[in-house]
Amino acid sequence: MSGGGLLVAGTTSDAGKSVVTAGICRWLVRQGVKVAPFKGQNMSLNSFVTREGAEIGRAQAMQAQAARVEPSALMNPVLLKPGSDRSSQVVLMGKPVGELSARGFFGGSGPAAKPLSGAVSPGRALHGGRQAALLDTVVGCLEELRGSYDAVICEGAGSPAEINLRRTDIVNMGIARAARLPVLVVGDIDRGGVFASFFGTTALLAPEDQELLAGYLVNKFRGDVSLLEPGLDMLKDLTGRATYGVLPFQHGLGIDEEDGLRVSLRGSVRESRTTAPVGEDVLRVAVCAVPLMSNFTDVDALAAEPGVVVRFVDRAEELVDADLVVVPGTRGTVKALQWLRERGLADALARRAVEGRPVLGICGGFQVLGERIEDDVESRAGAVDGLGLLPVRVRFERDKTLARPVGEALGEHVEGYEIHHGVAEITGGEAFLDGCRVGSVWGTHWHGSLEADGFRRAFLREVAAAAGRRFVPAPDTSFGALREEQLDRLGDLIEEHADTDALWRLIESGAPSGLPFIPPGAPA
């Protein structure tokens, strides 16, 4: 018999679906429920590599941690990694199968996927690039999880009322109807218009979809809940559906976002901790906000350190006072290289290298720091000169490297994960993880390495010495423990501010019967 299930949808992108899903997973596992997360289709440049070598959305890896289970490709069978405004790489069951236009994927007359590797037939997998052809795969993965877990908490994408995409939907009401899942719609009241959003979302769904929309969850509320309650009562009178909780606004819960970088380019990374430094000085980290930036979560571990201030920048003058500059990963290495040159950041990085001021390149950022890039896969630009700060030549291969390496650097144990098409030939410098170091310039393909506490502290000591800062890393900062604290806070939000008895009834028994239809419904 299949386990219970719930789909967490949202009135908009970034309404809080990812964190609510994680919070429900953490609340359930603390009750002794064996639970798993699921997202049928994800669009994100923040991804993760499972132990079996499958690439999935990083949000689902975070949700698996909330559920205290090992992440799996089953939890995110379709991942779209944008390469431009019009096309994405399609990752199916953890492996890339091709590049596809948005029109082709969502069911227009666009072309089928362009294959990346002969090992997989994208034409067969995607049936000419039609998203709807993947519904069987997505439903099969969900049912496999439901056969192994007491409950599966599914996350939707965007809004379930995107009427232009409903015909081919496999992540919102399409999967809900196929698997008979009850649906909870999350609305971000901090944006305003939450009642209209709840009502409008419901009223734009077909009668068969409305039967599954059980109710609502208000997210990011500030103030006295008693002032909101009359509106919730009126919403129930209008729709026949209850609100299952009002979650208060809390700082510091934006972990592993997938839909975008929720920072100002000239602001601190998300809600960076402001704990006073252990030593006399703070350490300032500037992250180049390159186009198609991927896995920007790499710098979260730096932002977690007391006295480390992390900001994202897009102007050369913003590197002047930085003690460390990070060039992060990107899905467009050649495009990022051009962007750095156009904005004067390339020259600023070169000056830093000459002056012995620290620079760290990660994945695509490592590649741009090299001497030469040969790319007939990602940008199809052919041979392009890099910045020449590291003795490295990069050749893009059609097969993607997906790995979970383990090693040692600066005398400390390090674990990470790799996601890249570029293969690096290193001709000099000192060894640094899988990359190299020349003076104060470091480069590696490893994501997640800074989450290793001992290595991060050793690296920051080197940076502080090179920058001439009297900065001392805190001896007891544990990034893993801080992440667990965040996940527990999410579980607390659900436990303390949601109707958990009603939530469990939804998960176990499905949507209530007799929910009224709200006209006009979906257009024909």
Side-chain angles (χ1 to χ4, degrees):
M1 179 175 148
S2 292
L6 173 69
L7 175 70
V8 179
T11 55
T12 62
S13 294
D14 204 27
K17 297 182 295 290
S18 295
V19 294
V20 167
T21 300
I24 294 174
C25 285
R26 178 50 61 100
W27 160 64
L28 285 172
V29 78
R30 294 196 306 206
Q31 310 308 308
V33 177
K34 186 180 180 185
V35 59
F38 178 81
K39 186 164 186 172
Q41 172 198 304
N42 199 345
M43 179 173 280
S44 178
L45 287 172
N46 272 348
S47 59
F48 182 76
V49 179
T50 67
R51 294 205 179 278
E52 67 266 27
E55 185 179 8
I56 66 172
R58 190 165 170 100
Q60 278 61 66
M62 177 268 291
Q63 290 160 357
Q65 185 178 350
R68 296 178 181 150
V69 296
E70 191 66 33
S72 157
L74 291 172
M75 298 173 184
N76 181 205
V78 182
L79 173 64
L80 306 179
K81 303 193 72 176
S84 71
D85 291 340
R86 294 178 176 270
S87 67
S88 293
Q89 183 182 82
V90 182
V91 179
L92 180 63
M93 295 305 295
K95 304 296 180 184
V97 296
E99 292 278 342
L100 198 62
S101 70
R103 178 178 289 274
F105 186 75
F106 288 107
S109 57
K114 296 178 181 179
L116 291 174
S117 169
V120 180
S121 172
R124 183 173 67 249
L126 297 180
H127 188 58
R130 298 291 187 249
Q131 178 193 34
L134 294 172
L135 182 60
D136 287 346
T137 298
V138 170
V139 172
C141 290
L142 175 57
E143 288 307 310
E144 187 170 342
L145 287 173
R146 293 180 76 181
S148 303
Y149 291 87
D150 301 328
V152 178
I153 308 304
C154 309
E155 180 188 344
S159 161
E162 290 169 346
I163 53 179
N164 56 317
L165 303 177
R166 176 62 185 90
R167 181 173 59 86
T168 55
D169 172 44
I170 63 172
V171 67
N172 289 307
M173 302 313 299
I175 187 71
R177 200 191 295 187
R180 304 306 300 171
L181 292 173
V183 178
L184 187 69
V185 178
V186 178
D188 179 356
I189 197 170
D190 203 44
R191 297 182 176 197
V194 74
F195 293 119
S197 297
F198 283 146
F199 183 86
T201 297
T202 308
L204 280 176
L205 298 181
E208 297 85 354
D209 291 341
Q210 288 195 26
E211 289 176 4
L212 298 170
L213 199 162
Y216 315 107
L217 186 73
V218 176
N219 191 28
K220 299 183 186 175
F221 179 72
R222 305 172 191 249
D224 185 346
V225 176
S226 66
L227 298 177
L228 187 67
E229 288 171 349
L232 301 179
D233 292 339
M234 286 184 264
L235 181 67
K236 185 172 183 180
D237 291 340
L238 286 167
T239 67
R241 290 159 174 86
T243 296
Y244 284 71
V246 177
L247 308 184
F249 185 97
Q250 287 198 9
H251 290 280
L253 294 181
I255 52 179
D256 292 3
E257 295 99 334
E258 63 192 30
D259 294 320
L261 184 61
R262 296 189 333 185
V263 298
S264 160
L265 283 177
R266 288 176 254 300
S268 294
V269 51
R270 286 193 282 290
E271 291 158 16
S272 181
R273 300 174 77 214
T274 55
T275 311
V278 174
E280 296 178 48
D281 289 343
V282 298
L283 208 62
R284 296 173 177 85
V285 179
V287 184
C288 296
V290 296
L292 299 172
M293 181 163 45
S294 62
N295 289 73
F296 55 79
T297 49
D298 282 330
V299 299
D300 283 357
L302 295 178
E305 282 285 346
V308 175
V309 179
V310 179
R311 67 184 190 274
F312 287 80
V313 304
D314 62 350
R315 299 184 302 197
E317 55 267 31
E318 294 175 297
L319 304 190
V320 173
D321 67 343
D323 302 307
L324 168 67
V325 174
V326 177
V327 188
T330 172
R331 250 281 277 155
T333 299
V334 172
K335 183 180 290 187
L337 184 59
Q338 180 182 1
W339 181 87
L340 290 168
R341 286 182 167 134
E342 289 173 348
R343 291 175 171 265
L345 288 160
D347 290 339
L349 290 169
R351 286 193 297 272
R352 290 185 67 89
V354 170
E355 295 166 359
R357 302 177 67 200
V359 176
L360 171 64
I362 302 174
C363 200
F366 167 41
Q367 295 167 5
V368 304
L369 297 180
E371 298 169 344
R372 195 165 180 79
I373 298 168
E374 294 180 21
D375 180 12
D376 294 317
V377 175
E378 189 176 78
S379 68
R380 297 180 174 84
V384 178
D385 288 335
L387 298 185
L389 305 186
L390 291 174
V392 177
R393 296 190 170 209
V394 176
R395 183 184 68 259
F396 275 65
E397 299 284 359
R398 293 190 178 278
D399 291 337
K400 180 185 278 190
T401 297
L402 297 169
R404 290 279 293 269
V406 177
E408 184 176 299
L410 304 180
E412 298 287 345
H413 177 77
V414 189
E415 297 183 15
Y417 57 100
E418 296 182 65
I419 306 169
H420 54 92
H421 285 282
V423 176
E425 177 190 358
I426 299 169
T427 60
E430 302 174 43
F432 177 70
L433 300 175
D434 71 326
C436 65
R437 170 187 182 179
V438 174
S440 61
V441 180
W442 293 265
T444 177
H445 275 128
W446 290 21
H447 295 289
S449 62
L450 293 167
E451 295 179 16
D453 298 327
F455 167 70
R456 183 179 65 255
R457 286 192 277 269
F459 176 71
L460 289 176
R461 282 193 289 270
E462 295 249 354
V463 167
R469 295 287 184 187
R470 294 185 297 275
F471 170 84
V472 179
D476 55 355
T477 301
S478 167
F479 184 75
L482 289 171
R483 173 53 56 89
E484 279 295 305
E485 287 177 15
Q486 284 183 306
L487 295 173
D488 276 333
R489 287 174 64 198
L490 293 179
D492 292 343
L493 274 179
I494 299 299
E495 189 167 343
E496 295 169 10
H497 300 282
D499 186 343
T500 52
D501 289 339
L503 272 181
W504 180 246
R505 285 194 297 273
L506 276 187
I507 294 166
E508 193 173 37
S509 305
S513 59
L515 292 170
F517 171 70
I518 307 302

